[in-house]
Protein backbone atom coordinates (compact mmCIF):
# COMPACT_ATOMS: atom_id res chain seq x y z
CA UNK A 1 0.00 0.00 0.00
CA UNK A 2 1.31 3.47 -0.86
CA UNK A 3 1.23 5.77 2.13
CA UNK A 4 1.63 9.52 1.71
CA UNK A 5 4.92 10.73 3.18
CA UNK A 6 4.11 12.82 6.24
CA UNK A 7 6.28 14.89 8.54
CA UNK A 8 7.09 12.83 11.62
CA UNK A 9 7.02 14.45 15.01
CA UNK A 10 10.75 13.74 15.36
CA UNK A 11 11.51 15.62 12.14
CA UNK A 12 9.30 18.47 13.31
CA UNK A 13 11.08 18.71 16.66
CA UNK A 14 14.51 18.65 14.99
CA UNK A 15 13.45 21.40 12.56
CA UNK A 16 12.30 23.43 15.57
CA UNK A 17 15.60 22.81 17.35
CA UNK A 18 17.54 24.14 14.36
CA UNK A 19 15.81 27.50 14.84
CA UNK A 20 17.69 27.75 18.15
CA UNK A 21 21.42 27.46 17.41
CA UNK A 22 22.15 27.59 21.16
CA UNK A 23 20.03 24.47 21.80
CA UNK A 24 21.82 21.47 23.26
CA UNK A 25 19.24 18.93 22.11
CA UNK A 26 18.13 18.17 25.67
CA UNK A 27 14.56 19.39 25.15
CA UNK A 28 14.41 17.39 21.94
CA UNK A 29 15.63 14.36 23.85
CA UNK A 30 13.07 14.87 26.61
CA UNK A 31 10.19 15.25 24.15
CA UNK A 32 11.30 12.13 22.30
CA UNK A 33 11.29 10.11 25.53
CA UNK A 34 7.84 11.44 26.37
CA UNK A 35 6.57 10.47 22.95
CA UNK A 36 7.74 6.90 23.46
CA UNK A 37 5.96 6.86 26.85
CA UNK A 38 2.82 8.19 25.14
CA UNK A 39 2.92 5.49 22.49
CA UNK A 40 3.35 2.84 25.17
CA UNK A 41 0.36 4.17 27.13
CA UNK A 42 -1.67 4.45 23.94
CA UNK A 43 -1.10 0.79 23.16
CA UNK A 44 -2.20 -0.18 26.65
CA UNK A 45 -5.29 2.08 26.63
CA UNK A 46 -6.34 0.60 23.29
CA UNK A 47 -6.00 -2.89 24.74
CA UNK A 48 -7.83 -2.02 27.95
CA UNK A 49 -11.07 -3.69 27.00
CA UNK A 50 -9.24 -6.92 26.25
CA UNK A 51 -6.50 -7.00 28.80
CA UNK A 52 -8.47 -7.17 32.04
CA UNK A 53 -6.72 -4.05 33.18
CA UNK A 54 -9.89 -2.03 33.55
CA UNK A 55 -11.20 -1.18 36.94
CA UNK A 56 -9.70 0.12 40.10
CA UNK A 57 -6.39 -0.70 41.70
CA UNK A 58 -7.84 -0.58 45.19
CA UNK A 59 -5.86 2.29 46.68
CA UNK A 60 -6.38 6.06 46.78
CA UNK A 61 -4.00 8.77 45.59
CA UNK A 62 -2.99 12.04 47.22
CA UNK A 63 -6.25 13.68 46.04
CA UNK A 64 -8.24 11.02 47.91
CA UNK A 65 -9.54 9.55 44.64
CA UNK A 66 -9.56 5.90 43.74
CA UNK A 67 -6.66 5.14 41.43
CA UNK A 68 -7.53 3.18 38.31
CA UNK A 69 -5.18 0.45 37.18
CA UNK A 70 -4.41 2.27 33.96
CA UNK A 71 -3.49 5.39 35.98
CA UNK A 72 -0.87 3.32 37.74
CA UNK A 73 0.36 1.92 34.47
CA UNK A 74 0.60 5.35 32.81
CA UNK A 75 2.32 6.87 35.83
CA UNK A 76 4.89 4.10 36.07
CA UNK A 77 5.53 4.15 32.33
CA UNK A 78 6.32 7.87 32.29
CA UNK A 79 8.42 7.79 35.44
CA UNK A 80 10.48 4.81 34.28
CA UNK A 81 11.04 6.25 30.84
CA UNK A 82 12.15 9.64 32.15
CA UNK A 83 14.11 8.56 35.22
CA UNK A 84 17.77 8.60 34.35
CA UNK A 85 17.25 10.05 30.88
CA UNK A 86 19.60 12.87 31.84
CA UNK A 87 17.33 15.68 30.69
CA UNK A 88 15.40 16.36 33.91
CA UNK A 89 16.29 16.98 37.54
CA UNK A 90 12.84 16.39 39.10
CA UNK A 91 9.30 15.31 38.25
CA UNK A 92 5.84 15.86 39.72
CA UNK A 93 2.90 13.60 38.96
CA UNK A 94 -0.76 13.82 39.88
CA UNK A 95 -0.41 10.30 41.28
CA UNK A 96 2.53 11.02 43.58
CA UNK A 97 2.24 13.11 46.73
CA UNK A 98 5.82 14.31 46.68
CA UNK A 99 8.33 15.47 44.15
CA UNK A 100 9.88 12.53 42.28
CA UNK A 101 13.65 12.53 42.38
CA UNK A 102 15.78 11.29 39.51
CA UNK A 103 18.61 8.79 40.08
CA UNK A 104 21.77 10.35 41.49
CA UNK A 105 24.14 11.62 38.85
CA UNK A 106 21.51 11.91 36.12
CA UNK A 107 20.06 15.35 36.88
CA UNK A 108 19.50 17.45 33.77
CA UNK A 109 18.36 20.99 33.20
CA UNK A 110 14.58 20.59 32.95
CA UNK A 111 11.68 19.68 35.22
CA UNK A 112 8.45 18.04 34.20
CA UNK A 113 5.01 17.94 35.81
CA UNK A 114 2.40 15.59 34.39
CA UNK A 115 -1.02 14.10 34.82
CA UNK A 116 -0.36 10.58 33.55
CA UNK A 117 -3.96 9.73 32.66
CA UNK A 118 -6.42 12.56 33.07
CA UNK A 119 -10.11 11.74 33.01
CA UNK A 120 -9.37 8.20 34.10
CA UNK A 121 -12.80 7.75 35.69
CA UNK A 122 -13.98 7.57 32.07
CA UNK A 123 -11.81 4.65 31.02
CA UNK A 124 -14.36 1.99 31.81
CA UNK A 125 -16.88 3.61 29.46
CA UNK A 126 -14.56 4.09 26.50
CA UNK A 127 -14.38 7.88 26.66
CA UNK A 128 -11.20 9.66 25.56
CA UNK A 129 -8.57 10.22 28.23
CA UNK A 130 -5.20 11.92 28.03
CA UNK A 131 -1.72 12.58 29.36
CA UNK A 132 -0.90 16.24 30.09
CA UNK A 133 2.65 17.55 30.56
CA UNK A 134 4.44 20.76 31.43
CA UNK A 135 8.18 21.39 31.10
CA UNK A 136 10.23 24.13 32.78
CA UNK A 137 13.90 24.95 32.81
CA UNK A 138 15.26 24.34 36.30
CA UNK A 139 16.02 27.30 38.54
CA UNK A 140 18.67 25.77 40.75
CA UNK A 141 22.09 25.63 39.17
CA UNK A 142 22.94 21.95 39.37
CA UNK A 143 22.64 18.75 41.37
CA UNK A 144 19.38 17.18 42.43
CA UNK A 145 16.27 19.17 41.61
CA UNK A 146 14.25 20.88 44.33
CA UNK A 147 10.54 21.49 44.71
CA UNK A 148 11.16 25.16 43.86
CA UNK A 149 12.32 24.00 40.41
CA UNK A 150 8.80 22.68 39.84
CA UNK A 151 6.90 25.56 41.44
CA UNK A 152 7.20 27.98 38.55
CA UNK A 153 4.64 30.12 36.76
CA UNK A 154 3.01 28.82 33.60
CA UNK A 155 4.38 31.67 31.54
CA UNK A 156 7.88 30.23 32.00
CA UNK A 157 7.07 26.83 30.53
CA UNK A 158 9.43 25.86 27.72
CA UNK A 159 7.10 23.16 26.42
CA UNK A 160 3.64 21.86 27.22
CA UNK A 161 1.15 19.53 25.64
CA UNK A 162 -1.03 16.49 25.84
CA UNK A 163 -1.59 13.15 24.26
CA UNK A 164 -5.24 12.31 23.77
CA UNK A 165 -6.18 8.65 23.56
CA UNK A 166 -9.34 8.95 21.50
CA UNK A 167 -10.76 7.51 18.31
CA UNK A 168 -7.18 8.08 17.22
CA UNK A 169 -4.23 8.97 19.43
CA UNK A 170 -3.01 12.52 18.99
CA UNK A 171 -0.10 14.48 20.39
CA UNK A 172 -0.68 18.23 20.65
CA UNK A 173 2.17 20.38 21.95
CA UNK A 174 3.98 23.67 21.82
CA UNK A 175 7.54 24.73 22.52
CA UNK A 176 6.50 28.38 22.25
CA UNK A 177 6.42 28.36 18.49
CA UNK A 178 2.74 27.69 17.78
CA UNK A 179 0.64 24.66 18.61
CA UNK A 180 0.98 21.59 16.44
CA UNK A 181 -1.00 18.37 16.38
CA UNK A 182 0.27 14.94 15.35
CA UNK A 183 -1.79 11.84 14.79
CA UNK A 184 -0.45 8.40 15.60
CA UNK A 185 -0.43 5.96 12.70
CA UNK A 186 -0.57 2.76 14.74
CA UNK A 187 0.46 0.61 11.80
CA UNK A 188 3.91 2.22 11.74
CA UNK A 189 3.99 3.44 15.34
CA UNK A 190 4.75 7.00 14.36
CA UNK A 191 3.12 10.38 14.98
CA UNK A 192 2.63 12.41 11.79
CA UNK A 193 1.91 16.12 11.58
CA UNK A 194 -1.83 16.39 10.98
CA UNK A 195 -2.74 19.78 12.50
CA UNK A 196 0.02 22.36 11.89
CA UNK A 197 -0.32 25.76 13.55
CA UNK A 198 -3.60 25.22 15.34
CA UNK A 199 -5.53 28.45 15.95
CA UNK A 200 -8.54 28.43 18.24
CA UNK A 201 -11.48 30.40 16.79
CA UNK A 202 -11.74 33.87 18.37
CA UNK A 203 -15.35 33.28 19.30
CA UNK A 204 -17.40 30.15 19.57
CA UNK A 205 -20.88 28.76 20.06
CA UNK A 206 -20.00 26.08 22.59
CA UNK A 207 -19.56 25.96 26.34
CA UNK A 208 -18.31 23.13 28.49
CA UNK A 209 -19.13 23.07 32.19
CA UNK A 210 -20.44 20.61 34.76
CA UNK A 211 -23.84 22.18 35.31
CA UNK A 212 -24.54 19.73 38.10
CA UNK A 213 -22.51 22.11 40.25
CA UNK A 214 -24.90 25.03 39.59
CA UNK A 215 -26.00 25.32 43.22
CA UNK A 216 -22.40 25.52 44.38
CA UNK A 217 -21.43 28.39 42.07
CA UNK A 218 -21.23 32.04 43.05
CA UNK A 219 -24.09 34.18 41.70
CA UNK A 220 -21.91 35.74 38.96
CA UNK A 221 -21.01 32.34 37.52
CA UNK A 222 -24.68 31.34 37.43
CA UNK A 223 -25.53 34.59 35.64
CA UNK A 224 -22.86 33.95 33.03
CA UNK A 225 -24.16 30.46 32.28
CA UNK A 226 -27.73 31.80 32.09
CA UNK A 227 -26.43 34.41 29.63
CA UNK A 228 -24.93 31.67 27.45
CA UNK A 229 -28.33 29.98 27.34
CA UNK A 230 -30.28 33.15 26.56
CA UNK A 231 -31.55 33.76 23.06
CA UNK A 232 -29.71 36.41 21.06
CA UNK A 233 -29.37 36.02 17.33
CA UNK A 234 -26.58 38.53 16.89
CA UNK A 235 -24.18 36.85 19.30
CA UNK A 236 -25.23 33.35 18.29
CA UNK A 237 -26.84 32.46 21.63
CA UNK A 238 -27.95 30.16 23.03
CA UNK A 239 -24.60 28.38 22.91
CA UNK A 240 -24.61 24.60 22.68
CA UNK A 241 -23.34 22.64 25.66
CA UNK A 242 -20.64 20.00 25.27
CA UNK A 243 -19.26 18.41 28.43
CA UNK A 244 -17.38 15.17 28.34
CA UNK A 245 -15.95 15.28 31.86
CA UNK A 246 -12.50 14.45 30.57
CA UNK A 247 -10.47 17.64 30.49
CA UNK A 248 -8.19 16.73 27.60
CA UNK A 249 -11.16 15.70 25.46
CA UNK A 250 -13.18 18.81 26.35
CA UNK A 251 -10.17 21.06 25.76
CA UNK A 252 -9.19 19.37 22.50
CA UNK A 253 -12.67 19.79 21.08
CA UNK A 254 -12.76 23.46 21.98
CA UNK A 255 -9.25 24.04 20.66
CA UNK A 256 -10.18 22.69 17.26
CA UNK A 257 -13.72 24.01 16.76
CA UNK A 258 -13.82 26.84 19.32
CA UNK A 259 -15.43 26.89 22.72
CA UNK A 260 -15.11 27.87 26.33
CA UNK A 261 -14.44 25.36 29.10
CA UNK A 262 -15.11 26.29 32.71
CA UNK A 263 -14.33 24.51 35.95
CA UNK A 264 -14.98 27.58 38.05
CA UNK A 265 -14.63 28.24 41.72
CA UNK A 266 -17.36 26.53 43.71
CA UNK A 267 -18.27 26.21 47.35
CA UNK A 268 -18.80 22.46 47.57
CA UNK A 269 -16.55 22.83 50.57
CA UNK A 270 -17.96 26.07 52.06
CA UNK A 271 -14.96 26.39 54.35
CA UNK A 272 -12.65 26.50 51.35
CA UNK A 273 -14.17 27.57 48.02
CA UNK A 274 -11.91 26.37 45.22
CA UNK A 275 -11.63 25.02 41.73
CA UNK A 276 -11.13 21.32 41.07
CA UNK A 277 -8.34 21.19 38.52
CA UNK A 278 -4.65 21.30 39.34
CA UNK A 279 -2.50 24.24 38.37
CA UNK A 280 0.82 22.58 37.59
CA UNK A 281 -0.16 19.69 35.37
CA UNK A 282 -3.68 20.51 34.16
CA UNK A 283 -4.43 24.25 34.03
CA UNK A 284 -0.98 25.72 33.29
CA UNK A 285 0.02 23.49 30.35
CA UNK A 286 -3.38 23.91 28.69
CA UNK A 287 -3.18 27.67 29.32
CA UNK A 288 0.22 27.71 27.58
CA UNK A 289 -1.25 25.87 24.60
CA UNK A 290 -4.38 28.01 24.36
CA UNK A 291 -2.33 31.19 24.46
CA UNK A 292 -0.07 29.88 21.70
CA UNK A 293 -3.21 29.11 19.70
CA UNK A 294 -4.65 32.62 20.18
CA UNK A 295 -6.97 31.91 23.11
CA UNK A 296 -6.92 32.73 26.79
CA UNK A 297 -7.05 31.11 30.24
CA UNK A 298 -8.02 32.81 33.51
CA UNK A 299 -9.09 31.75 36.98
CA UNK A 300 -12.09 34.12 37.06
CA UNK A 301 -10.65 35.61 40.24
CA UNK A 302 -8.64 38.30 38.50
CA UNK A 303 -5.64 36.27 37.35
CA UNK A 304 -4.29 34.96 34.12
CA UNK A 305 -3.54 31.25 34.73
CA UNK A 306 -0.05 31.73 33.32
CA UNK A 307 0.79 34.28 36.05
CA UNK A 308 -0.30 32.29 39.09
CA UNK A 309 2.65 31.47 41.30
CA UNK A 310 2.31 27.90 42.57
CA UNK A 311 2.97 27.27 46.23
CA UNK A 312 2.38 23.53 46.25
CA UNK A 313 2.63 20.71 43.74
CA UNK A 314 -1.04 19.72 43.82
CA UNK A 315 -2.55 23.18 44.08
CA UNK A 316 -6.07 23.49 42.66
CA UNK A 317 -7.24 26.45 40.64
CA UNK A 318 -10.49 27.54 38.99
CA UNK A 319 -10.08 27.32 35.21
CA UNK A 320 -11.83 29.25 32.44
CA UNK A 321 -10.16 28.54 29.12
CA UNK A 322 -10.85 28.74 25.43
CA UNK A 323 -11.78 31.15 22.65
CA UNK A 324 -10.48 34.61 23.46
CA UNK A 325 -13.67 36.64 23.15
CA UNK A 326 -15.67 34.11 25.13
CA UNK A 327 -13.12 34.17 27.95
CA UNK A 328 -13.20 38.00 27.88
CA UNK A 329 -16.99 37.94 28.30
CA UNK A 330 -16.82 35.35 31.07
CA UNK A 331 -14.22 37.47 32.84
CA UNK A 332 -16.57 40.47 32.86
CA UNK A 333 -19.47 38.44 34.24
CA UNK A 334 -17.38 36.76 36.90
CA UNK A 335 -16.02 40.11 38.02
CA UNK A 336 -19.63 41.24 38.47
P1 LIG B 1 -8.73 13.41 37.26
O1 LIG B 1 -7.43 14.11 37.10
O2 LIG B 1 -8.85 12.72 38.58
O3 LIG B 1 -9.05 12.52 36.11
O4 LIG B 1 -9.87 14.55 37.37
C1 LIG B 1 -9.87 15.58 36.46
C2 LIG B 1 -11.10 15.48 35.61
C3 LIG B 1 -10.96 16.28 34.35
O5 LIG B 1 -10.54 15.47 33.30
C4 LIG B 1 -12.35 16.78 34.11
O6 LIG B 1 -12.35 18.00 33.43
C5 LIG B 1 -12.91 16.92 35.49
O7 LIG B 1 -12.16 16.04 36.33
C6 LIG B 1 -14.36 16.54 35.55
O8 LIG B 1 -14.83 16.75 36.84
P2 LIG B 1 -16.39 16.58 37.20
O9 LIG B 1 -16.66 15.13 37.11
O10 LIG B 1 -16.49 17.14 38.59
O11 LIG B 1 -17.17 17.39 36.20
MG1 LIG C 1 -6.25 14.95 36.14
Amino acid sequence: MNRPLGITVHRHIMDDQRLHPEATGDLTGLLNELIVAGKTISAEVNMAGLADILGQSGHTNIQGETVQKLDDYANTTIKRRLAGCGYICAMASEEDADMIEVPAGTAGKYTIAFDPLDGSSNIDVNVSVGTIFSVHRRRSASGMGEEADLLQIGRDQVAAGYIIYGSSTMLVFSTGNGVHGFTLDPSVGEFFLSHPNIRIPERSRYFSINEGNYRYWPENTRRYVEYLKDKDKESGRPYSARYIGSLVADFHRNLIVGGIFLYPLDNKNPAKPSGKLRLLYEAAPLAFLVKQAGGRAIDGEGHDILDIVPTELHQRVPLIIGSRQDVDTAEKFLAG
Side-chain angles (χ1 to χ4, degrees), residues 215-280:
R215 296 280 163 227
Y216 298 116
W217 295 334
E219 187 53 37
N220 290 341
T221 307
R222 292 189 204 175
R223 278 185 33 237
Y224 174 62
V225 172
E226 293 305 332
Y227 161 86
L228 291 175
K229 298 195 291 189
D230 277 347
K231 249 169 89 179
D232 178 52
K233 213 169 173 194
E234 205 181 314
S235 55
R237 288 176 291 139
Y239 277 24
S240 285
R242 293 285 185 278
Y243 191 71
I244 301 165
S246 184
L247 177 62
V248 174
D250 279 309
F251 177 82
H252 185 70
R253 185 180 193 286
N254 290 344
L255 181 68
I256 303 297
V257 301
I260 180 165
F261 171 95
L262 304 96
Y263 212 112
L265 180 121
D266 65 45
N267 59 12
K268 262 187 207 160
N269 175 0
K272 202 180 162 207
S274 78
K276 172 182 183 186
L277 299 170
R278 287 57 154 218
L279 176 59
L280 279 191

Side-chain angles (χ1 to χ4, degrees), residues 116-127:
L117 208 59
D118 183 68
S120 53
S121 62
N122 288 315
I123 293 165
D124 285 6
V125 286
N126 221 343
V127 163

